[in-house]
Amino acid sequence: MVTCIPASPAFVTASEQEVWARLRDQLGPDDVLLANVRLTEEGRDVEADLVVLMPGFGVVVLEVKGGSVWYDDGWCQAARGAPGRASGEPEVRWIRPVDQARDNKYALRTYVEGQPVWGSRARVRWAHGVVTPYSTFDDDFSVPELPRWALHDRRQQDHLVTRLRQNATKAGHQRPPDA
């Protein structure tokens, strides 16, 4: 069974909880699943929704966006039940899921590589992705900041780990981490 850190995390959104549970059930015994990874850098705090460590493939930092998500010259999200809204009236807002995932990836990589225990080890493969468990995108959808293979929508949830392994492999040429 996958190692989960923490073993039973608390989540703010149902979408994050669902994706974590799906990964927990799909990942293998050598994999590690981290939830709500917080890091403070000079001048800012970051929080990665999920980080998946897969020996032989790479480390994938994920941003999970529930509700209805789409791209229209920028990323948008509609969520029901927003404070101050009439019941059933969705709040539509601009979001930056790719920036969040990418910034979190670089912050975590810098932190890990800066630890004395890392020593002189060579860089391993790091990737980032966005999971939209309730939204669907066309198979040919792609934007410069997020190729389709790094966007995991509603249709890909049943084989999410396979997609994450591909996401990691396609994202870089560094060596994959070992166990």
Side-chain angles (χ1 to χ4, degrees), residues 50-65:
L50 300 169
V51 180
V52 185
L53 291 77
M54 299 174 292
F57 295 95
V59 179
V60 182
V61 178
L62 296 172
E63 181 64 26
V64 178
K65 291 298 182 193

Side-chain angles (χ1 to χ4, degrees), residues 13-118:
T13 68
S15 57
E16 291 174 8
Q17 171 70 43
E18 289 175 26
V19 173
W20 177 85
R22 189 170 294 117
L23 290 172
R24 178 201 60 205
D25 295 346
Q26 291 180 12
L27 287 163
D30 292 333
D31 299 323
V32 178
L33 175 59
L34 299 109
N36 305 319
V37 179
R38 294 182 177 107
L39 180 68
T40 298
E41 293 185 313
E42 188 173 329
R44 71 181 186 138
D45 296 320
V46 299
E47 180 179 354
D49 291 339
L50 300 169
V51 180
V52 185
L53 291 77
M54 299 174 292
F57 295 95
V59 179
V60 182
V61 178
L62 296 172
E63 181 64 26
V64 178
K65 291 298 182 193
S68 179
V69 177
W70 67 96
Y71 188 89
D72 183 13
D73 289 329
W75 293 92
C76 299
Q77 180 182 42
R80 296 200 182 279
R85 294 267 189 211
S87 178
E89 183 183 343
E91 172 191 14
V92 176
R93 61 183 175 205
W94 292 99
I95 58 173
R96 302 181 64 85
V98 182
D99 292 346
Q100 288 175 277
R102 186 182 51 239
D103 291 352
N104 292 340
K105 173 186 72 174
Y106 288 129
L108 289 167
R109 186 180 76 183
T110 298
Y111 176 79
V112 167
E113 291 177 353
Q115 297 306 299
V117 70
W118 189 257

Side-chain angles (χ1 to χ4, degrees), residues 125-147:
R125 187 180 298 145
W126 287 78
H128 64 276
V130 174
V131 182
T132 60
Y134 309 141
S135 299
T136 303
F137 289 81
D138 291 338
D139 289 337
D140 63 351
F141 173 84
S142 185
V143 291
E145 64 183 3
L146 190 72

